[in-house]
Amino acid sequence: MRHALAVSGFLMGVTMLAQTQVNPHALQTAEFQKRVDDYMKLRNQAAHGLPKLKPTEEPAEISKHERDLAARVRAARPKAAQGDIFTPKISAEFKRLFGMAMQGRGETRVKKSLAHGEPVNLSLKVGDSYPHTVPLQTTPTTLLQNLPKLPKELEYRIVNQSLVLRDTGANLVVDLIPNAIPQ
């Protein structure tokens, strides 16, 4: 009986210890996912009532829908600022993930991939529209494979050395991490 109680107590202690030890990297990824989910809820509420964009080849219709959605998202996030989604801890985690992706041959692949795209020299802030006159630089797969997956309405983009979280339907900068890409 004593032995059973001792084993039970030991197992309870191990369980409690395991519950208190959380992987800090996974914690930051989960926090990022929560913030993205919160943004998507806000975005969906902002889009409510906006006529759906029907398949069209008319740039004016597409641009109008994009502007209308962006205006609604901006109105729903009047105090949107850098760090709302990419908090300092989340930014540090993403930079750590980029550092891992750029170890060894990864660095050469990333730099080659970025060099193949048109250089994007642009100063962006949260809430800005991404200029249609500036190409969207492709984000190297080597970097993307280490990052959390995004809903289809969002994407990662590299601008200068910054990681930009972009709302594709609203063409809106949701947040960014300056100097995210090691030089």
Side-chain angles (χ1 to χ4, degrees):
M1 178 73 169
R2 276 189 204 170
H3 179 68
L5 286 174
V7 169
S8 176
F10 173 75
L11 290 176
M12 188 183 305
V14 168
T15 302
M16 289 173 55
L17 181 62
Q19 289 173 347
T20 60
Q21 291 181 345
V22 177
N23 177 338
H25 305 300
L27 190 63
Q28 294 313 312
T29 300
E31 177 64 19
F32 172 74
Q33 291 295 104
K34 180 195 175 307
R35 288 171 181 272
V36 165
D37 290 346
D38 290 346
Y39 172 80
M40 289 306 301
K41 286 177 193 165
L42 178 138
R43 181 196 192 273
N44 290 338
Q45 289 171 348
H48 184 73
L50 187 65
K52 297 268 187 229
L53 181 62
K54 295 181 177 136
T56 180
E57 303 226 357
E58 291 297 320
E61 285 182 46
I62 296 168
S63 292
K64 181 183 180 337
H65 187 271
E66 186 179 275
R67 283 190 312 273
D68 291 347
L69 179 56
R72 287 174 175 229
V73 171
R74 284 185 189 108
R77 297 179 77 208
K79 295 181 181 178
Q82 183 185 333
D84 287 349
I85 294 179
F86 290 128
T87 65
K89 286 183 180 181
I90 292 170
S91 294
E93 177 60 14
F94 273 59
K95 287 178 180 182
R96 184 187 75 81
L97 292 171
F98 284 162
M100 288 173 49
M102 293 185 73
Q103 290 177 351
R105 292 188 320 209
E107 180 177 14
T108 305
R109 276 187 248 134
V110 169
K111 287 186 176 181
K112 234 184 227 186
S113 176
L114 290 173
H116 276 42
E118 284 194 48
V120 177
N121 191 7
L122 183 62
S123 178
L124 292 173
K125 298 183 315 254
V126 172
D128 283 352
S129 291
Y130 195 96
H132 288 289
T133 57
V134 177
L136 288 166
Q137 174 115 23
T138 303
T139 305
T141 306
T142 307
L143 295 178
L144 285 177
Q145 66 191 11
N146 284 345
L147 299 180
K149 300 289 182 240
L150 294 171
K152 66 180 172 34
E153 298 86 357
L154 298 176
E155 68 181 2
Y156 299 111
R157 288 292 173 169
I158 303 296
V159 176
N160 300 331
Q161 297 302 111
S162 299
L163 176 69
V164 174
L165 182 62
R166 179 177 168 264
D167 183 320
T168 58
N171 188 35
L172 199 63
V173 175
V174 178
D175 205 348
L176 57 102
I177 302 173
N179 304 311
I181 309 299
Q183 291 202 23

